[in-house]
Amino acid sequence: MTETAVTITRKDKRTRLLHIIRIMRNYNMLHNFVHQTHPAEFREALEELGPTFIKAGQLLSTRPDLISPEYIQELRKLQDNVQVDDFQTIAATFKKQTGKSIADTFASFDQKPFASASIGQTHHATLKDGTEVVVKIQHPAVEELVRTDLALFRKALSILKFVPDIEVIDVHETLDEIRMALLNEINTQVEIQNGIEFYKLNNRDGIIRVPKVYQQYSTSKILVNEAMRGKSIKYLIQQTAEPETQAAKELTATKKYVAKTLVQNFIKQVFVDNFFHADPHPGNILFHRLSYREEINEKQNFEPQHHYAKKIGKNEIQVETGESLPPYRLTYLDFGMMGRLTPALVDGIANIILALNTKNSRKIGEAVLNVCNWVGDVDEESFYEDLGNFITPYLKMGVGEIDFATTLYQIITLCHQNNLQMKPEVTLLFKAFGTLEGIVAQLDPELSIMDIARPFGVKYLKQKFNLKNSVEDLAWQTLQTAKELPTVPQKLNQLLDIMNANQARLTLKLKDQNKILYRLDQIVNRIMVTIILAAVILGSSMLVQGSHGNTPVYNLGVTGFIVSLIVIILMTLGGIHRHLKDKKKLK
């Protein structure tokens, strides 16, 4: 099988479309997803639909801004079940992508992959200079298959005449989000650039290590990374030792150090780099204890954190300082899902952290508003009240007590109810923070993430604070106020004259004023309709009684009765429907 052997004909597309429609109907897929019900059935449907939809489900499981916590938990069970490509297929793809053979590029190359997923498979290899690397190569025609499946799914929506009933989830919006995420996932160039940037910003930040990307060997379908040693950090979490022993003390110290390092580095990614790892789950963070030889190499490759030099006469004194690192390292992997923040958003996040420290729900609400898009009329006072009622219990909890996935989904729902949409970058940050918090809480339950985050927030805002500009603004405002002071008595006299002449007007704005006025308008309209109906019924009665055998007059009276009866029935049904809808919203 070679890469060029995979083609999708019209007949294949038609067969695949019918298959998608059948599964969507069998599992009641759209209704379940829109209303976020029966998550297990939805997962089973994705598994039956195949690799593209399994990958889409896996991406959805990382998006608490799009689906409920129950769906997230269920979709995390999705496992890739794909056929491994043989070595001839891999060799053909590599040759087509790079123009070189595997033998010409690598000193050795494991023909069997050590990992395989719906997008591609990964092999161990060694470069000609002896450097150990991992090579990720896409399956044949992945991009074409993904684009075809997504297009057919959208066509299935139109064939099934799906009309969006946005009670919880907007299917079309979610499909657009996942389509973009999937296309980024299959474009290895995105991961290459992310890996290069993350390496420059974070490699050798204390015990943090990042694999080097070998861009000269990588293409849009091939990624060559430095091989990194270590196991998933969950192995460190699961390690235990006999209580009250030296080994137990050392293990506790290690876990505490690792937890603090993860938090400090992540906050640096946010406030300093504005570029953060958006999926820091245990599988993407390795823990590795250095061997004696590795420790020696680390010391030989020591890079000072501070360099000081001073010339005294003809002599120059140089001092290099650096933190003595413990004998273990943390490695970040997989840079397909990254978050990038604008300076304005970073300001907003810093303000949220500082507002949370005040435990003032109004200040927190004002900070949250600054990181949301307004998608309709927003009653700010109502939002502050709703947020205050929701967040007050959490202000008394420790960070380890909070279920971040559920809390984030509830906050997003609350924003949606108030015509607010939290910016995707912010929800991605909160999701990443929640994932990392889960690791940190297991390593060091006593660590307060907010205590570490707060100094970063304060430091960031201090750096943004320009004393010279602030003094100039204050001076200008003071000058303007001084100019206005002589006119104050005159304006006060004018106000008193207006009040004496009964020309003063007081404007009050009620909470939910627009809703109240709309309801009043509905009530007035119903009263008017009721009066008209009463008049029609009365007139019809008079016509029937006074017809005396005059058929046209009699028929006109009966018609009036029938029309009135129909209108009354419609009004009654409409009232029942509104009552049930309001009752459902209250639930």
Side-chain angles (χ1 to χ4, degrees):
M1 178 181 176
T2 63
E3 188 178 28
T4 54
V6 178
T7 56
I8 303 173
T9 64
R10 285 188 176 182
K11 183 180 178 182
D12 292 335
K13 289 180 181 180
R14 186 167 59 253
T15 303
R16 178 64 172 156
L17 177 60
L18 293 173
H19 180 64
I20 291 172
I21 292 173
R22 179 178 59 79
I23 291 172
M24 288 171 70
R25 282 176 172 164
N26 289 348
Y27 287 92
N28 203 9
M29 194 175 176
L30 293 175
H31 181 275
N32 286 340
F33 185 67
V34 168
H35 298 276
Q36 293 289 276
T37 55
H38 304 102
E41 288 183 14
F42 185 79
R43 174 184 56 80
E44 290 168 8
L46 293 180
E47 288 173 337
E48 198 164 332
L49 283 168
T52 299
F53 293 90
I54 289 173
K55 188 64 186 176
Q58 291 170 341
L59 289 171
L60 271 176
S61 71
T62 67
R63 297 296 301 271
D65 56 319
L66 295 178
I67 60 175
S68 68
E70 293 77 18
Y71 258 66
I72 287 174
Q73 187 175 2
E74 189 65 34
L75 294 184
R76 282 177 179 167
K77 299 176 183 177
L78 286 168
Q79 298 292 325
D80 291 305
N81 184 20
V82 294
Q83 184 177 354
V84 175
D85 296 326
D86 56 35
F87 182 68
Q88 288 73 23
T89 301
I90 292 300
T93 301
F94 191 88
K95 177 77 172 178
K96 184 175 181 180
Q97 284 287 302
T98 65
K100 297 179 180 179
S101 69
I102 286 178
D104 291 338
T105 307
F106 302 101
S108 67
F109 189 96
D110 289 357
Q111 294 193 10
K112 291 185 177 180
F114 68 88
S116 184
S118 53
I119 301 298
Q121 57 193 54
T122 312
H123 298 253
H124 284 299
T126 308
L127 296 176
K128 294 291 187 180
D129 63 1
T131 303
E132 294 180 357
V133 294
V134 292
V135 185
K136 185 161 73 174
I137 302 180
Q138 276 190 19
H139 298 303
V142 161
E143 183 174 356
E144 185 180 359
L145 290 167
V146 168
R147 289 184 183 276
T148 300
D149 270 349
L150 291 174
L152 291 176
F153 185 77
R154 193 178 289 277
K155 191 170 184 179
L157 292 179
S158 63
I159 290 174
L160 292 171
K161 296 181 179 179
F162 170 69
V163 179
D165 176 19
I166 306 170
E167 293 201 15
V168 180
I169 299 295
D170 184 339
V171 172
H172 293 295
E173 179 188 347
T174 305
L175 182 60
D176 289 340
E177 289 271 358
I178 293 303
R179 178 180 180 278
M180 189 178 301
L182 270 174
L183 293 180
N184 282 337
E185 184 88 10
I186 61 180
N187 182 4
T188 307
Q189 287 292 349
V190 173
E191 188 172 352
I192 290 169
Q193 295 306 317
N194 288 342
I196 291 171
E197 185 173 358
F198 198 80
Y199 178 88
K200 289 178 181 177
L201 294 171
N202 294 282
N203 190 48
R204 294 190 174 274
D205 178 25
I207 61 172
I208 300 292
R209 295 294 179 265
V210 181
K212 181 180 178 181
V213 177
Y214 291 91
Q215 194 172 9
Q216 65 271 35
Y217 305 116
S218 303
T219 68
S220 61
K221 294 186 177 182
I222 296 171
L223 175 63
V224 180
N225 273 338
E226 176 186 5
M228 305 300 287
R229 299 185 185 280
K231 292 183 178 181
S232 166
I233 198 170
K234 68 182 179 182
Y235 289 100
L236 173 63
I237 293 170
Q238 293 168 354
Q239 283 182 15
T240 58
E242 285 292 329
E244 306 298 328
T245 62
Q246 184 62 29
K249 291 178 182 178
E250 290 177 0
L251 181 60
T252 299
T254 298
K255 289 183 177 182
K256 285 180 176 290
Y257 188 93
V258 168
K260 190 173 181 179
T261 298
L262 284 172
V263 175
Q264 287 180 332
N265 177 260
F266 183 75
I267 294 173
K268 179 194 83 74
Q269 292 174 36
V270 175
F271 287 107
V272 179
D273 306 336
N274 303 161
F275 181 69
F276 62 93
H277 198 297
D279 194 21
H281 65 76
N284 284 339
I285 302 175
L286 301 182
F287 176 81
H288 176 59
R289 291 189 183 275
L290 300 176
S291 65
Y292 177 75
R293 181 174 293 180
E294 287 172 330
E295 281 193 71
I296 298 298
N297 289 337
E298 286 275 343
K299 289 176 181 178
Q300 289 176 347
N301 296 325
F302 171 76
E303 293 182 10
Q305 293 178 325
H306 304 286
H307 179 84
Y308 173 78
K310 184 166 180 153
K311 197 167 185 180
I312 301 175
K314 294 182 180 180
N315 300 316
E316 184 179 55
I317 299 174
Q318 294 188 3
V319 179
E320 293 180 346
T321 63
E323 180 187 1
S324 178
L325 298 177
Y328 45 80
R329 298 292 179 265
L330 291 175
T331 302
Y332 272 101
L333 302 175
D334 192 353
F335 308 106
M337 187 184 298
M338 306 296 291
R340 194 179 296 277
L341 301 168
T342 63
L345 275 180
V346 177
D347 285 350
I349 292 159
N351 283 322
I352 289 175
I353 291 172
L354 297 179
L356 284 169
N357 187 46
T358 67
K359 298 188 177 180
N360 183 317
S361 60
R362 187 178 183 88
K363 287 185 179 295
I364 296 170
E366 290 171 351
V368 170
L369 279 179
N370 289 329
V371 297
C372 289
N373 296 318
W374 295 30
V375 294
D377 293 332
V378 177
D379 187 332
E380 293 183 38
E381 295 301 324
S382 178
F383 174 68
Y384 295 149
E385 183 179 337
D386 292 345
L387 184 64
N389 292 334
F390 169 76
I391 208 168
T392 299
Y394 288 100
L395 296 176
K396 300 174 184 177
M397 294 183 185
V399 176
E401 300 175 74
I402 300 173
D403 181 345
F404 274 89
T406 302
T407 305
L408 177 56
Y409 185 73
Q410 289 172 339
I411 291 174
I412 291 167
T413 302
L414 188 148
C415 288
H416 177 72
Q417 290 168 351
N418 286 272
N419 293 325
L420 293 166
Q421 185 182 60
M422 197 170 283
K423 294 178 181 177
E425 303 94 326
V426 179
T427 55
L428 196 61
L429 172 62
F430 287 167
K431 173 260 169 189
F433 179 80
T435 303
L436 192 69
E437 186 276 335
I439 297 173
V440 170
Q442 294 178 78
L443 289 168
D444 184 5
E446 298 176 0
L447 179 66
S448 171
I449 293 181
M450 289 302 298
D451 286 344
I452 298 176
R454 196 180 303 112
F456 270 90
V458 173
K459 183 180 178 182
Y460 175 81
L461 291 176
K462 280 182 178 178
Q463 290 173 344
K464 299 287 287 185
F465 178 74
N466 189 314
L467 181 61
K468 182 181 177 182
N469 290 344
S470 297
V471 170
E472 289 177 355
D473 291 342
L474 180 60
W476 175 254
Q477 291 170 6
T478 304
L479 179 62
Q480 291 296 108
T481 303
K483 286 182 178 179
E484 293 290 334
L485 278 175
T487 67
V488 170
Q490 181 183 356
K491 290 180 177 179
L492 186 58
N493 282 331
Q494 289 174 350
L495 176 62
L496 292 172
D497 289 340
I498 290 171
M499 293 179 70
N500 279 331
N502 294 324
Q503 294 177 353
R505 183 175 62 186
L506 180 64
T507 303
L508 295 175
K509 185 176 180 181
L510 298 172
K511 181 184 175 182
D512 294 333
Q513 177 177 291
N514 292 335
K515 292 180 181 178
I516 292 171
L517 291 175
Y518 176 71
R519 278 297 172 93
L520 284 173
D521 185 55
Q522 282 185 319
I523 291 169
V524 171
N525 288 337
R526 287 174 194 164
I527 291 172
M528 293 299 297
V529 170
T530 303
I531 292 171
I532 292 169
L533 281 173
V536 171
I537 292 170
L538 182 61
S540 298
S541 299
M542 293 174 66
L543 287 173
V544 170
Q545 289 179 359
S547 61
H548 300 300
N550 190 328
T551 303
V553 174
Y554 178 83
N555 289 341
L556 183 59
V558 172
T559 302
F561 277 125
I562 294 171
V563 170
S564 300
L565 181 62
I566 292 171
V567 172
I568 290 169
I569 291 171
L570 291 175
M571 287 179 66
T572 303
L573 292 174
I576 293 171
H577 175 71
R578 279 190 297 273
H579 174 72
L580 293 174
K581 195 172 181 181
D582 292 341
K583 191 175 180 181
K584 191 174 182 181
K585 284 182 179 178
L586 288 172
K587 288 181 180 179

